[in-house]
Amino acid sequence: MRRTLNALYDGCAWLAAVFMIGVLVMVLLSVLGRQFQFHVPGTDAYAGYAMAAAGFLALAHTLKRNEHIRVTLVLGMLTGRARRGLELWSLSVAVLLSGLFAWFAARLVWQSIEFHDISTGNDATPLWIPQLAMAFGTLVLFIAFVDEWVLEARGQRQRIDGSETHHE
C-alpha cells in the first residue's frame, strides 16, 4: 500500500511539472506571437488553467515531503501525549477540511458538466476540463492527510527533522 500511495503522490508531482511546462509554453507562445505578429487564441486562459492544475496537483506531494508551511510554535513546546494529541487533532481537522474541499471541487466539476459551463474567453473551453485537475488534486491531498493521520495514530509518522514518532 505504501508503494501505491507514494506512486500516486509522485505521479501527481510529475503531472504538476508537466503543467508547469505547459505554462511556459503558453507564455512563450504569447511572447513570440507579439514579437512576430501572430496570435494564438486562448494562451492566457490555458496558461491560467495549467498554473492552477500544477498548484493543485502538487499539494499532496508537497505535504508528504514536509514542505507545507506549518506553524509549530505551540507544538514545539509539547511532548509525549500532549504533542500526539495536538498532532492528531490538527490532522483530523486537515482531513475534514481537505475532504470538504475535495467534495466541493468534484461537485463543481459535475455542475459544470451538467450546466454546460464554458469559459468566457474566446477559447470557449468547457470548464469541467480544467476543473478536473483541481478536483483530482484535492482528492489526492485528502488521501495524503488520511495517510498522515493513520501514520500518526500508529506512531510511524515522520517528523520534520526526519525522525519517526514512536508512541506507546
Side-chain angles (χ1 to χ4, degrees):
M1 182 64 125
R2 173 61 34 214
R3 188 175 296 173
T4 301
L5 288 172
N6 288 341
L8 176 65
Y9 307 141
D10 290 344
C12 284
W14 278 102
L15 270 174
V18 168
F19 278 106
M20 285 301 293
I21 293 168
V23 172
L24 173 66
V25 168
M26 291 299 110
V27 170
L28 286 175
L29 264 174
S30 182
V31 168
L32 291 173
R34 274 186 243 128
Q35 192 69 29
F36 297 106
Q37 284 79 41
F38 68 88
H39 176 67
V40 179
T43 54
D44 292 343
Y46 289 113
Y49 300 151
M51 187 176 298
F56 281 102
L57 290 170
L59 287 172
H61 187 266
T62 306
L63 173 72
K64 295 304 285 184
R65 299 277 188 239
N66 288 319
E67 297 295 329
H68 279 204
I69 296 171
R70 284 185 70 190
V71 179
T72 57
L73 181 65
V74 175
L75 193 61
M77 294 186 289
L78 301 175
T79 59
R81 287 179 173 258
R83 182 181 178 119
R84 182 173 187 224
L86 185 58
E87 286 278 13
L88 283 171
W89 179 83
S90 64
L91 286 168
S92 297
V93 171
V95 166
L96 174 68
L97 292 176
S98 63
L100 287 170
F101 196 7
W103 168 261
F104 284 107
R107 187 172 142 205
L108 179 65
V109 171
W110 180 258
Q111 287 174 336
S112 290
I113 292 170
E114 208 171 62
F115 299 130
H116 305 288
D117 204 6
I118 61 170
S119 70
T120 58
N122 60 359
D123 60 308
T125 301
L127 287 179
W128 67 268
I129 296 170
Q131 290 168 350
L132 273 176
M134 178 179 70
F136 186 68
T138 56
L139 174 63
V140 177
L141 179 65
F142 168 71
I143 292 168
F145 271 122
V146 170
D147 183 15
E148 288 293 295
W149 190 94
V150 169
L151 289 172
E152 181 65 32
R154 291 181 172 175
Q156 299 170 334
R157 188 158 166 256
Q158 295 284 92
R159 288 200 181 175
I160 293 172
D161 63 5
S163 64
E164 286 187 9
T165 56
H166 294 286
H167 303 290
E168 297 175 25

